[in-house]
Amino acid sequence: MLEVRNLRVAYGAAPALWDVSIRVETGELVCVVGPNGAGKTTLINTLAGLNRAAGGSIAFHGVDITRLAAHRFCEAGIAIVPESRRLFTGMTVLENLELGSYLPAARARRRETLEQVCELFPAVRQKLPMPAGSLSGGQQQMVAIGRALMARPKLLLLDEPSLGLAPSIVMDMFDAIRRINAEGLSVLLVEQNVSMAMELATHAYVLEEGRIVMDGPAHDLMRRSEIRKAYLGLE
């Protein structure tokens, strides 16, 4: 479905990603883990069309989309839930969700998709007429994921969905991500909560200092001593 080959991204003269190659198959949940500053957000923003690649290629369903305008990534079927959610806090929850169904095909099924989002996140249904800024952090993250789902994407990109959330809410959030994937939606998850991400994912990539330093089946990587020591504090 998604094939990234030798991707390079730079901010001016400063390189951020070097020769990054990853794959996401149809229906798969893949995670990218790594420390702060590794380039995880740069990677996911580039895959959403928000950053421009300096080299390499991004193919989606066999079509090269590397040089497309940002809005064309959404048309291709890619939706992102950005770090820190980035909701329009003065608008209602319903208005924020409806913004996700901007494309004609998604707009035609807006009511159906809204019902699906409310079934996934029952707390959102009760908050539809309220300003998004009045919601808790966990509820805002639900709305951010719901807004991306309103686009009816083929691939969902999630950037640090657990950031700043209470542990009990994190468990609920990861359960929702599991259910989204179980319904057939491909997911690429960027996350610092390594143990939770690895538990969800089928395949994992470790990104450090802008490079992929390790990848493989998630359950295999979790058994590796260097992963357990560096990211879980276990010997």
Side-chain angles (χ1 to χ4, degrees), residues 36-218:
N36 278 332
K40 300 188 303 296
T41 292
T42 296
L43 172 61
I44 208 163
N45 283 345
T46 304
L47 300 181
L50 303 178
N51 292 334
R52 305 305 295 172
S57 64
I58 305 169
F60 192 59
H61 285 293
V63 177
D64 191 325
I65 62 172
T66 315
R67 303 300 172 191
L68 292 183
H71 67 281
R72 298 292 184 189
F73 280 67
C74 184
E75 287 183 355
I78 299 174
I80 184 173
V81 181
E83 184 180 1
S84 302
R85 301 176 281 275
R86 299 185 188 176
L87 299 179
F88 294 93
T89 55
M91 297 171 62
T92 68
V93 169
L94 178 59
E95 288 168 337
N96 272 272
L97 291 172
E98 288 178 340
L99 285 174
S101 56
Y102 176 80
L103 295 173
R107 191 183 308 126
R109 302 180 66 179
R110 176 180 287 171
R111 183 173 297 181
E112 173 189 349
T113 313
L114 178 61
E115 182 59 30
Q116 292 170 349
V117 169
C118 290
E119 288 178 3
L120 181 66
F121 299 118
V124 169
R125 189 189 302 275
Q126 303 168 11
K127 306 290 185 179
L128 290 177
M130 298 178 62
S134 69
L135 274 57
S136 68
Q139 291 168 344
Q140 289 189 20
Q141 186 63 277
M142 295 174 191
V143 175
I145 294 174
R147 179 179 60 188
L149 294 176
M150 291 293 291
R152 303 190 69 87
K154 300 171 185 174
L155 173 65
L156 181 65
L157 307 176
L158 292 162
D159 190 4
E160 304 283 8
S162 72
L163 187 66
L165 302 184
S168 60
I169 302 299
V170 170
M171 295 292 289
D172 292 341
M173 198 62 58
F174 276 97
D175 182 61
I177 293 167
R178 182 185 290 109
R179 283 183 283 152
I180 289 168
N181 177 244
E183 292 175 1
L185 181 59
S186 302
V187 177
L188 179 62
L189 169 66
V190 162
E191 182 56 62
Q192 286 192 68
N193 190 326
V194 174
S195 59
M196 294 288 287
M198 293 283 200
E199 183 181 333
L200 278 181
T202 51
H203 197 94
Y205 295 85
V206 180
L207 185 67
E208 293 183 358
E209 297 182 345
R211 299 180 186 273
I212 299 293
V213 297
M214 198 180 306
D215 80 280

